[in-house]
Amino acid sequence: MAEFDTIRSRGAAVSQAEIDQGLRAHMNKVYGTMSIGMVITAAAAWAISGLAVTDIPGGVPLRPGTYLTGLGETLYLTPLKWVVMFAPLAFLLFGWGALMRRGSAAAVSLGFFIFSAVMGVSMSSIFLVFTPYSIVQAFLVTAIAFAGLSLFGYTTKRDLSGMGTFLMMGVFGLLGVMIVNLFIQSELMMNVIAVVGLLIFAGLTAFYTQAIKSEYVAHAAHNDQEWLDKAAVDGALSLYIAFLNMFQFLLMFLGQQE
């Protein structure tokens, strides 16, 4: 892991004060961009869920007094639901890397915000399944846990880079189990997935935070603002994904359904 001393030893290029000030500004941009993405996701999910249901009889009944609209049926009951569900993952696997390599900082930011909106559409069904109290509770608990884990990743002197590969292997293994469980619908397996997923993304929150900090320090002397702007959005995306996954797994495990 790159440490502050590595840059400071380079001498005249970048002063300690400049590194410290630049790092604070960089992290503020990471968290700020992530927060905007979260707001976009929440707004998109809430708006779509509101358009997907009605109290006017005639559509597919969701629960007593509530029916799916035409939009709701299309999003949740037709094959389009698979597109909505896997579109964010497909973008992360096949689109984000290319955008980071070839796109400008502005294009990368726009891509992140569009991704956040699509993620909101993908997550909109939680407003139809879980009670508002459960959703707010899970969000607040996640926010508190995320803040503590990210602070740990930022301040710890322990090198967390070794756990990154292990955690990412866990992510792909967990994804495979989740896909299998889409078809077998095992409640026990769902609970296990929720607990394991929560632990994995808790670890990734600390790991990503330290990686963002280390990456900035390693490149601070280059003074490439375009690269730093793109790196801030990339870091925001990593933390955004960790937060949303912690939230969803916590909601799966503790949330009360309507």
Side-chain angles (χ1 to χ4, degrees), residues 5 49 66 68 72 93 142 166 211 221 257:
D5 292 340
S49 66
T66 304
L68 289 178
L93 293 177
T142 303
F166 173 77
Q257 297 191 8

Side-chain angles (χ1 to χ4, degrees), residues 173-184:
L174 188 67
L175 179 62
V177 175
M178 290 174 67
I179 292 174
V180 171
N181 201 46
L182 285 174
F183 298 97
I184 65 175

Side-chain angles (χ1 to χ4, degrees), residues 153-183:
Y154 186 84
T155 59
T156 184
K157 301 299 182 182
R158 181 181 177 184
D159 186 356
L160 303 179
S161 59
M163 61 189 279
T165 301
F166 173 77
L167 290 172
M168 289 308 300
M169 289 174 60
V171 169
F172 286 106
L174 188 67
L175 179 62
V177 175
M178 290 174 67
I179 292 174
V180 171
N181 201 46
L182 285 174
F183 298 97

Side-chain angles (χ1 to χ4, degrees), residues 61-202:
L62 183 63
R63 53 184 173 269
T66 304
Y67 306 87
L68 289 178
T69 64
L71 175 63
E73 292 182 37
T74 301
L75 285 178
Y76 308 131
L77 299 180
T78 70
L80 183 63
K81 69 180 181 181
W82 301 109
V83 177
V84 172
M85 184 182 301
F86 289 108
L89 179 61
F91 175 73
L92 290 177
L93 293 177
F94 306 110
W96 183 252
L99 183 60
M100 281 291 295
R101 289 191 301 272
R102 302 171 187 172
S104 64
V108 169
S109 296
L110 179 61
F112 171 66
F113 295 138
I114 293 174
F115 171 81
S116 300
V118 174
M119 181 63 80
V121 177
S122 179
M123 293 180 59
S124 61
S125 61
I126 68 171
F127 287 99
L128 310 183
V129 176
F130 296 97
T131 65
Y133 176 81
S134 292
I135 295 172
V136 172
Q137 182 185 49
F139 180 85
L140 291 177
V141 173
T142 303
I144 294 170
F146 176 87
L149 290 162
S150 191
L151 180 63
F152 170 77
Y154 186 84
T155 59
T156 184
K157 301 299 182 182
R158 181 181 177 184
D159 186 356
L160 303 179
S161 59
M163 61 189 279
T165 301
F166 173 77
L167 290 172
M168 289 308 300
M169 289 174 60
V171 169
F172 286 106
L174 188 67
L175 179 62
V177 175
M178 290 174 67
I179 292 174
V180 171
N181 201 46
L182 285 174
F183 298 97
I184 65 175
Q185 293 292 309
S186 167
E187 185 174 351
L188 175 61
M189 185 177 293
M190 184 176 297
N191 288 332
V192 172
I193 288 170
V195 173
V196 173
L198 187 59
L199 293 175
I200 288 175
F201 284 97

